[in-house]
Amino acid sequence: MKELKKKIISVCKVIASDHQLLAGVIGLLFIFFIIIFAPLLVTDNPYHYGDDILFRVGQGGHILGTNHMGQDIYSMLIYGMRTSFKVAVISALISGILGVVIGGIAGFFGGKVDIIVSEIINVFMMLPTFFLILLIVALFGNSIYNVMVVIGITTWPSNAKLMRAEALTLKQRTFVKSAEAMGESKSQRLNKYIIPNGIFPVVSNTTMGMSNAILTEAGLSFLGLGDATIISWGQMIYTGKQYITTAWWISTYAGFAIIITVIIFYLLGDGLNHVLDPKYSKQGR
């Protein structure tokens, strides 16, 4: 218990030492609070189509008004948070896992494997990612699960490059060479030493990538390629754009929610990048 308490205190000190990370963590806790207690926070069923069509802010007991289908905007915002967070986490996990595995193999094994993988990474990085996502979604459907998978498999190259660079450095380190001399196989060294010690830049990059995933889903929804069966902030902007002059609240609040959430994930990722950077420790922070 004492060791656990010391670790918790140490983590809290690290978080408090960086203002961006602290702001990101507070924002993330706020997001978790909304996601967990969403059923208690809403004032109406967000999927309910009522008779209160295009009610203004505060009118008829609707805090942020209603849309053209009589749905409560405030309740839709709360449930939209769940969708955005799901998209961010799942797509980032797919991107991070692919990047770590592919980049780690390329950097550790080197030679022809590294050349081939590096060329594949370069090809993916040259492709216009958003247009590739548009093409895949148009071909295979616009369900939210397709969107998450597509975002994940099109954003892994940056993580792979980071992991490859770390693997190239780590495989020359003394502790890895010692493991090789002791007879450990390449797969053992890769899994035990290379990936665990080289994953930190990927963690911070993946966290920042969550904000891009939210923006991508919102962009797809705005273009009419989002999943119409779920509530998302991008879908709210898409359905509200035709009423922007008469019912501005339908799109505006969803836009603000996207901006705030993206800033939170950016602060979290940038803060992690600071505290996981070796230079950070050398400066005594």
Side-chain angles (χ1 to χ4, degrees), residues 10-48:
S10 177
V11 170
C12 291
K13 285 182 179 179
V14 171
I15 293 172
S17 66
D18 187 89
H19 297 303
Q20 285 181 305
L21 181 59
L22 179 61
V25 169
I26 292 172
L28 187 63
L29 291 174
F30 176 69
I31 290 173
F32 281 148
F33 175 80
I34 292 175
I35 291 171
I36 293 170
F37 296 103
L40 301 176
L41 295 174
V42 296
T43 56
D44 199 357
N45 182 356
Y47 290 95
H48 173 67

Side-chain angles (χ1 to χ4, degrees), residues 6-7 14 58 61 87:
K6 287 181 180 178
K7 287 182 179 179
V14 171
V87 170

Side-chain angles (χ1 to χ4, degrees), residues 104-165:
I105 290 173
F108 180 68
F109 287 96
K112 292 182 179 180
V113 175
D114 186 26
I115 294 172
I116 293 171
V117 173
S118 295
E119 290 302 318
I120 294 172
I121 292 173
N122 291 333
V123 168
F124 266 88
M125 295 196 76
M126 286 188 293
L127 292 172
T129 305
F130 189 74
F131 291 104
L132 180 61
I133 293 172
L134 284 176
L135 178 63
I136 296 174
V137 168
L139 289 173
F140 297 99
N142 59 349
S143 76
I144 192 65
Y145 298 103
N146 285 351
V147 170
M148 290 186 290
V149 171
V150 168
I151 294 173
I153 63 176
T154 53
T155 56
W156 62 268
S158 59
N159 288 326
K161 287 185 77 71
L162 287 171
M163 190 65 214
R164 174 183 173 274

Side-chain angles (χ1 to χ4, degrees), residues 2 105 149 159 179-180 211 218 225 232-233 254:
K2 289 183 178 179
I105 290 173
V149 171
N159 288 326
E180 182 181 4
S211 58
L225 292 173
S232 74
W233 292 333

